[in-house]
Amino acid sequence: MAKMSVFVMNRVLSSGPQRHTLMLTRRFLPGLFFKSTLATSTSSAKDYSIRLPTALALVASSLLGGYCLGTSHSNQWNEINKNRELPKGERGCCSCNGVSVAVPRREFTEAQRALPEKLAKIVGKQHVHDGLVHSSKNVQFLKGARLGEGCALAIVQPGTLQEAVRCLQEVVDAGCVVLPQGSNTGLTGGSVPRNEVDRPAVVISMKRLDTHFPIDDGNRVVCLAGCGIGKLATSIQKWFPDRESHSILGSTFLNPTTAAGVAFGSGGVYVRKGPARTDRALYCKVWKNKWGENVVTVVNTLGIEGLEDTDFHEGSGESAVTRLDVYANDVKQGFRRVMAKSSKSTHGLAKASDADYQNRVCECTNEVSRFNADTVGEDCNRSEGKVLILATVHDTFPAPSKKRMFWISFPDIETCLAFRREVCLNSPKDLPISCEYMDRDAIDIIDRSGRILTYMIRILGTGDLMGWAWGFKVAIEGLPFAFAPIICDKLMHTFNNWVPSAIPNRFIQLGREYDHHCLVAVGDFGDRNLDRFMERFDAFVKKYNGNQIESSGKVISFAETASPSDVTALNAFRFVAASAFKTFCIGEDIQGVSVDYALAKNGGSPPQLDKDAVTPLKRMRYSHFGCNVVHEDIAYALGVDTHKEKMRFKHVVEVGGGKLPAEHGHGTEYHAPKETQVRWMKMDPLNVMNPGIGGLPVTEKYEK
């Protein structure tokens, strides 16, 4: 494709006990579905999709019925859920009376009482919200996706970078702490307020800052902090069809922000790209000068021509922040301007992705490929809210000219691991696009409780409509009745088996017949890399199955996708796993905990549970198989001390050489290593930025 020297910006960028079950008859089912016109299976099995109007009507009527059911039986559900633990440590729906957490008793200073009004003058009254009393309007900012819930003096949503910097200064000057927030999709409690902090909190939500634009002829992209990975993926595909952004799979349907990806080091799906990382960013730090004044310093490592600190004269009133605001506003307005370029400075030549990852991941050593406590790189990387990220620069990547996807089922984990070593990670040049593992429990739970969400992603896609639907679910969970936090999951679990399997029959049948599965996507990036991968694949299967046939053993079985619909269905099925587990636990009236951890590159077998451990009901394992980063969801019966069992399991992982957490961040759930804590304390010496993460003290200046 010809190089582009001019970029035309569009407005689009501005962007248990007795159980109550609803009894419905299956005689209505034939009218709920219609046959898909796409052939999604070579077998005679039929594929179905839900009519959207029917689905919406079903949802509306279900919610109404659920409201009545939940209200009339709230006392009973209080008793069921008050001591139940849901995935990631979230307590049952009634641990906080089902409506809100207790507001900490705190005397606000005059400056703190005046702060909301000051913030309103900066960003506009409509972009400042009260966070002291929970409601369906603010719960999306105050309650974590799975863990954490607290109160905030205010929630502020800046619309420009200058507003963000000014808000940060006002917040720290008022003696408050700051909770930087993107889409609030974090799973370990680090992106929401916590009431044990000794100072009032203010949430600075960056979601309005969603502008993004390409530089360097499309080889890189600049993202303001609120830019969602789903929206970015769509834009890159539109602007440069032969390239793609870092994150095009995984949690894109939740549209987490690019800044959050950098702050956590997320993005384990992409074996060829590695986790999210960039040393090119614009971010804020807070410190005190010798006169005791709070100083907000903007660190500029963007490395873009015209935005270097040396491009501005002292006292001119201009800076990288003001000029980037002008550029971003032009993008929003659809103005035409010359595409920016990276500078020749040290920052302009710095990494905008984890460029060495392909080589590291193929090394067969007892080290892990990646983990959250890594201290390498610019301070914005794995900062977990200890700096306020304003903007980042990211590499884009060549898109494959051809893709193939396989569901591969193995009779045992040893054969699965051998396939990983000998086929997937044989050479850095021939890596697959992605390699995702699921065990039998994962298949069963997703199929039992994740069909509706899988269909929603297939029908609505991963864009704004799906984001709206997810936000609607969050709003329902914040309604003022005791049953609200679990009503949606209860209904999805109840109606799950009313809909057909969300993936074609030939795939789900393999899922039911085997215990270990890999979903492998490979692409042609030139230099015959796809051919070499397929040669190794074919040789491995032929050798193994030949030996098994001779010994009458179980062979490797696989199926290839036949259409884009197949690909969408399988990707959605895999990436609703975490949500499906929570739905399963709520629907079955059981408990669940979740742990993410990295195993050594030369390992991968499931850690053996402690001999004194309670036997779980389900042990659901799914992983980014290329880098051996595992998400393990463990279900227990009511009455089990899940915290004790979780600590036992974490100990087993660490003793075996694993590291945790590996992807979702430390938040309030994990203690970070000393080296990582020291790094964070240097970033934020006053402990005003996201205090309490990673086991750090919540007090001012980390005083004990």
Side-chain angles (χ1 to χ4, degrees):
M1 189 179 71
K3 296 284 186 179
M4 294 182 61
S5 60
V6 175
F7 173 59
V8 180
M9 298 135 182
N10 296 311
R11 287 182 178 270
V12 72
L13 299 186
S14 60
S15 38
Q18 176 185 357
R19 187 173 304 173
H20 296 268
T21 305
L22 296 177
M23 302 299 295
L24 298 170
T25 175
R26 288 181 174 269
R27 67 187 177 88
F28 294 111
L29 278 178
L32 292 177
F33 308 100
F34 65 91
K35 294 181 181 179
S36 171
T37 57
L38 290 173
T40 58
S41 176
T42 56
S43 70
S44 60
K46 300 176 183 178
D47 187 25
Y48 295 93
S49 298
I50 303 174
R51 284 197 181 101
L52 187 56
T54 303
L56 293 176
L58 180 61
V59 169
S61 60
S62 299
L63 291 175
L64 179 60
Y67 180 89
C68 299
L69 178 66
T71 302
S72 62
H73 297 289
S74 61
N75 291 335
Q76 180 178 356
W77 283 110
N78 285 354
E79 186 63 28
I80 291 175
N81 288 284
K82 67 182 180 183
N83 292 316
R84 177 172 66 173
E85 185 171 2
L86 299 177
K88 290 292 181 192
E90 178 185 328
R91 300 306 302 176
C93 72
C94 304
S95 59
C96 55
N97 297 322
V99 181
S100 63
V101 297
V103 180
R105 294 184 178 180
R106 180 177 286 137
E107 291 295 329
F108 297 124
T109 66
E110 184 177 343
Q112 290 164 353
R113 288 193 294 270
L115 180 60
E117 186 176 346
K118 288 185 177 181
L119 296 175
K121 290 181 179 178
I122 297 173
V123 303
K125 188 176 182 180
Q126 69 273 30
H127 301 303
V128 178
H129 312 284
D130 174 68
L132 293 177
V133 178
H134 284 208
S135 69
S136 59
K137 294 181 179 180
N138 63 20
V139 69
Q140 61 180 308
F141 305 103
L142 302 177
K143 184 177 180 180
R146 280 193 177 177
L147 176 65
E149 185 173 9
C151 300
L153 176 62
I155 301 158
V156 59
Q157 297 177 285
T160 68
L161 300 178
Q162 294 173 78
E163 288 179 0
V165 175
R166 290 176 61 195
C167 287
L168 177 58
Q169 184 73 65
E170 292 290 351
V171 171
V172 297
D173 283 346
C176 296
V177 300
V178 177
L179 266 296
Q181 193 178 91
S183 297
N184 192 19
T185 56
L187 299 179
T188 56
S191 58
V192 290
R194 50 213 73 112
N195 291 341
E196 63 269 24
V197 178
D198 61 343
R199 292 149 290 167
V202 173
V203 175
I204 299 184
S205 171
M206 305 294 280
K207 280 295 290 180
R208 290 180 63 209
L209 296 168
D210 61 350
T211 308
H212 49 286
F213 52 87
I215 63 172
D216 297 337
D217 297 317
N219 291 316
R220 290 170 193 85
V221 62
V222 177
C223 300
L224 300 196
C227 172
I229 61 173
K231 182 175 289 188
L232 177 63
T234 301
S235 296
I236 296 297
Q237 186 179 42
K238 177 182 178 182
W239 301 335
F240 306 99
D242 60 340
R243 300 194 72 80
E244 60 187 24
S245 62
H246 176 273
S247 301
I248 57 175
L249 291 174
S251 56
T252 51
F253 73 97
L254 296 177
N255 206 29
T257 62
T258 52
V262 173
F264 290 117
S266 305
V269 179
Y270 314 98
V271 186
R272 303 178 65 89
K273 301 174 184 177
R277 176 191 167 175
T278 183
D279 290 335
R280 300 177 59 180
L282 191 70
Y283 60 95
C284 298
K285 290 183 172 183
V286 181
W287 56 284
K288 281 188 183 291
N289 62 21
K290 61 183 180 181
W291 295 284
E293 298 169 328
N294 295 307
V295 179
V296 173
T297 298
V298 177
V299 180
N300 177 16
T301 65
L302 288 171
I304 299 174
E305 287 184 357
L307 290 176
E308 295 276 13
D309 287 339
T310 54
D311 294 325
F312 307 102
H313 299 293
E314 187 174 353
S316 66
E318 265 203 305
S319 66
V321 171
T322 60
R323 191 167 292 181
L324 188 53
D325 265 341
V326 172
Y327 199 108
N329 186 62
D330 286 351
V331 171
K332 287 182 179 181
Q333 300 302 319
F335 294 147
R336 182 187 180 96
R337 56 184 302 168
V338 176
M339 190 184 299
K341 294 183 178 181
S342 294
S343 66
K344 304 299 183 182
S345 70
T346 302
H347 298 317
L349 300 175
K351 292 181 179 179
S353 64
D354 196 342
D356 302 324
Y357 186 77
Q358 291 186 19
N359 294 317
R360 294 201 316 274
V361 78
C362 289
E363 297 169 351
C364 189
T365 69
N366 60 0
E367 299 293 324
V368 301
S369 294
R370 62 189 183 88
F371 64 110
N372 285 131
D374 192 352
T375 58
V376 175
E378 188 68 28
D379 279 351
C380 56
N381 293 292
R382 295 168 303 282
S383 54
E384 296 202 26
K386 282 299 184 181
V387 300
L388 179 63
I389 298 176
L390 301 175
T392 47
V393 176
H394 301 272
D395 287 334
T396 61
F397 301 85
S401 58
K402 179 182 179 181
K403 289 183 182 180
R404 299 179 71 180
M405 177 178 282
F406 301 88
W407 179 299
I408 311 168
S409 298
F410 301 89
D412 52 69
I413 189 63
E414 291 76 20
T415 306
C416 194
L417 291 170
F419 175 81
R420 174 181 174 271
R421 291 190 304 270
E422 298 175 26
V423 179
C424 295
L425 303 182
N426 178 271
S427 167
K429 295 182 180 179
D430 305 332
L431 289 171
I433 296 171
S434 62
C435 181
E436 296 294 302
Y437 167 85
M438 293 176 284
D439 72 355
R440 176 62 179 274
D441 278 352
I443 302 297
D444 290 345
I445 289 174
I446 298 170
D447 187 49
R448 175 60 189 88
S449 300
R451 292 183 184 180
I452 292 176
L453 185 55
T454 303
Y455 270 116
M456 287 181 67
I457 295 174
R458 291 181 62 180
I459 296 169
L460 302 181
T462 59
D464 292 340
L465 191 55
M466 185 63 200
W468 176 87
W470 191 262
F472 183 61
K473 178 179 182 288
V474 172
I476 292 172
E477 293 171 345
L479 290 174
F481 62 91
F483 198 63
I486 61 173
I487 177 63
C488 294
D489 290 289
K490 268 289 180 185
L491 291 172
M492 286 194 293
H493 185 79
T494 300
F495 293 123
N496 184 83
N497 287 348
W498 284 46
V499 302
S501 175
I503 58 177
N505 185 64
R506 65 186 185 281
F507 300 116
I508 197 62
Q509 283 302 118
L510 287 176
R512 292 167 179 164
E513 293 172 8
Y514 287 78
D515 290 338
H516 305 277
H517 313 270
C518 279
L519 187 59
V520 180
V522 292
D524 186 0
F525 296 90
D527 192 29
R528 293 191 64 252
N529 61 291
L530 176 58
D531 294 338
R532 289 194 297 272
F533 183 94
M534 293 307 303
E535 288 168 3
R536 294 197 302 272
F537 182 8
D538 293 340
F540 182 89
V541 173
K542 183 178 180 180
K543 180 183 73 171
Y544 181 85
N545 283 358
N547 294 336
Q548 291 300 100
I549 291 172
E550 291 181 4
S551 61
S552 300
K554 199 170 186 179
V555 300
I556 297 171
S557 185
F558 65 90
E560 184 173 3
T561 56
S563 68
S565 177
D566 283 1
V567 174
T568 300
L570 293 187
N571 282 330
F573 185 84
R574 158 62 185 89
F575 294 110
V576 303
S579 298
F581 179 66
K582 181 181 178 183
T583 300
F584 178 77
C585 289
I586 291 174
E588 295 293 321
D589 292 336
I590 59 178
Q591 303 185 93
V593 296
S594 299
V595 183
D596 70 285
Y597 55 91
L599 295 176
K601 288 181 277 190
N602 59 5
S605 297
Q608 296 299 310
L609 298 181
D610 186 271
K611 62 182 179 62
D612 296 323
V614 175
T615 302
L617 300 175
K618 290 283 187 179
R619 188 177 174 188
M620 173 181 175
R621 298 182 78 247
Y622 48 103
S623 73
H624 307 309
F625 205 45
C627 59
N628 256 352
V629 168
V630 182
H631 304 286
E632 184 148 350
D633 297 336
I634 310 174
Y636 294 99
L638 297 178
V640 173
D641 186 341
T642 52
H643 177 74
K644 183 178 181 180
E645 296 306 313
K646 191 170 188 177
M647 293 305 104
R648 279 178 174 167
F649 184 74
K650 288 181 178 181
H651 179 70
V652 167
V653 171
E654 291 174 331
V655 168
K659 292 183 181 293
L660 42 80
E663 185 165 66
H664 294 150
H666 296 80
T668 58
E669 190 175 14
Y670 298 91
H671 274 66
K674 187 65 176 179
E675 181 183 9
T676 304
Q677 290 183 338
V678 169
R679 178 175 180 255
W680 287 338
M681 292 168 72
K682 289 181 179 178
M683 294 181 197
D684 175 30
L686 305 180
N687 202 17
V688 296
M689 303 294 295
N690 208 9
I693 60 162
L696 287 171
V698 298
T699 52
E700 186 174 2
K701 297 182 181 179
Y702 307 96
E703 295 175 355
K704 296 183 179 180

